[in-house]
Amino acid sequence: MAREIRRIGVIGAGTMGTGIAQAFAASSFSVVLRDIAQPALDHGVATVKNSLGRLVAREKMTQDDSDAALARIAATTAIEELRDCDVVVEAVLEKFEVKKAVIADLERVCGPETIFASNTSSISLTRIAATSQHPGRVIGMHFFNPVPMMQLVEVIRALQTSDEVCAAVVALVGTIGKQARVSRDSYGFVVNRVLVPMINEAINCVYENVAKPEDVDSMMKLGAAHPMGPLSLGDLIGLDIVLNVMETLYEGFNDPKFRPSPLLRQMCDAGYLGRKSGRGFFEYPAKS
Ligand code: NAD
């Protein structure tokens, strides 16, 4: 019999955790949002409120539905509040030791049936699952930023993930109006493994003076029908994150085809990280 999922725990009230909490609450799940820092929780709840407010303003949601969604999110710093959750999605810092500690905390308070999902972008799910006493319940749910807008959730099977847990998570993704696609645990999974080396190669074109940044971008828009050029996309993602993904691929596969562009490293060393620093391959003047 398919398992019933009603209550979702989300750990980490940062960029991704708040988006994930919103996506579940807007689809009638009761959500417990947990962070270690009260200011992060306050900021996270305010972010969800603003995001729902924008949907109401654009007539994508009624005020009543928005109020009800917000009321379904209980924000807490207490790990014990996650005890009755059927699924817990962690979206804490991208550090293995922090994720390992979160799993250990959850194992103290949740029953053996609770599914533990990780939103990691680059850490091996198999390695995360190996820290659990019930590794078959551990799986990757890789949401994309901004979560309320993006359709895909990459569902990543650790070597240990059970078929039943994978099927339950795929079905769960459908209930929040998103599309699940399953992949095996592998460096960069699928989207980052394909997308980020393309951005890196666009950076190499600039590094080798093949073309100017604006021309590289317009060529990919005009010739490959990309909605945004790869360098603008790199600036949007953050060049430090682009470098981090390239390093994960390069070191993980031990393959020179994933070598980070020297110019990418220099941009990061210079603090030219893209939109978030006001300058990357293009300039982003601060809004007054
Ligand atoms: P973030 O820095 O915005 O938020 C992390 C939050 O986790 C912070 O509020 C912090 O207080 C909290 N936290 C840290 N340790 C904790 C603990 N032990 N228990 C509870 N809360 C804790 O990070 P983010 O950008 O939301 O990324 C979170 C995860 O999602 C990472 O694994 C990242 O790789 C992944 N991810 C990020 C993106 C993105 O575009 N930002 C996209 C996909 C996946």
Side-chain angles (χ1 to χ4, degrees):
M1 208 178 72
R3 65 164 83 200
E4 202 176 358
I5 297 176
R6 291 163 177 247
R7 198 170 167 80
I8 307 289
V10 178
I11 308 191
T15 308
M16 296 305 287
T18 51
I20 295 166
Q22 178 181 330
F24 280 108
S27 301
S28 301
F29 287 91
S30 100
V31 176
V32 182
L33 177 60
R34 195 249 169 175
D35 202 290
I36 40 172
Q38 187 62 44
L41 276 175
D42 295 342
H43 183 260
V45 171
T47 303
V48 174
K49 195 173 175 187
N50 284 340
S51 172
L52 290 169
R54 282 195 298 277
L55 292 175
V56 173
R58 299 206 318 257
E59 298 184 354
K60 303 235 161 147
M61 196 180 214
T62 66
Q63 187 63 52
D64 283 354
D65 286 348
S66 161
D67 293 345
L70 199 59
R72 279 192 285 270
I73 301 178
T76 181
T77 54
I79 188 88
E80 291 75 19
E81 298 293 315
L82 296 162
R83 79 177 81 78
D84 296 325
C85 290
D86 304 300
V87 174
V88 179
V89 186
E90 74 74 18
V92 301
L93 308 183
E94 188 69 345
K95 289 205 163 82
F96 175 71
E97 292 305 326
V98 179
K99 306 225 187 252
K100 183 177 165 186
V102 164
I103 299 258
D105 281 349
L106 284 175
E107 225 122 33
R108 280 195 295 109
V109 298
C110 298
E113 293 297 312
T114 307
I115 294 174
F116 293 166
S118 173
N119 187 48
T120 180
S121 327
S122 62
I123 300 171
S124 158
L125 265 311
T126 302
R127 202 170 159 220
I128 295 175
T131 71
S132 168
Q133 291 160 22
H134 306 280
R137 61 153 111 188
V138 178
I139 193 160
M141 282 179 89
H142 189 216
F143 289 82
F144 289 79
N145 187 19
V147 179
M149 311 292 297
M150 300 299 275
Q151 281 287 298
L152 176 67
V153 179
E154 275 182 315
V155 173
I156 300 118
R157 292 191 69 142
L159 211 55
Q160 306 94 319
T161 307
S162 76
D163 291 344
E164 191 268 327
V165 163
C166 185
V169 168
V170 168
L172 177 65
V173 170
T175 63
I176 58 170
K178 298 200 184 290
Q179 302 228 19
R181 294 291 181 275
V182 179
S183 82
R184 282 197 302 114
D185 186 21
S186 179
Y187 301 105
F189 316 132
V190 172
V191 173
N192 282 342
R193 178 173 172 175
V194 174
L195 182 70
V196 177
M198 182 198 67
I199 296 170
N200 189 58
E201 208 48 37
I203 297 171
N204 273 330
C205 287
V206 176
Y207 179 61
E208 294 166 16
N209 284 322
V210 176
K212 294 199 278 270
E214 50 275 31
D215 290 335
V216 172
D217 268 16
S218 64
M219 284 181 210
M220 292 304 289
K221 286 199 287 186
L222 296 170
H226 286 198
M228 183 184 248
L231 299 169
S232 298
L233 184 58
D235 278 359
L236 180 66
I237 293 170
L239 297 177
D240 51 338
I241 292 177
V242 172
L243 177 58
N244 189 277
V245 173
M246 287 309 297
E247 281 171 338
T248 299
L249 294 170
Y250 185 50
E251 285 158 23
F253 289 110
N254 196 15
D255 186 332
K257 79 177 176 186
F258 294 117
R259 187 169 47 227
S261 168
L263 179 56
L264 174 60
R265 280 193 197 287
Q266 285 173 343
M267 297 287 284
C268 291
D269 286 346
Y272 300 158
L273 304 181
R275 279 179 189 261
K276 63 183 161 191
S277 69
R279 177 173 172 178
F281 286 95
F282 303 100
E283 302 220 348
Y284 306 91
K287 289 188 190 121
S288 53

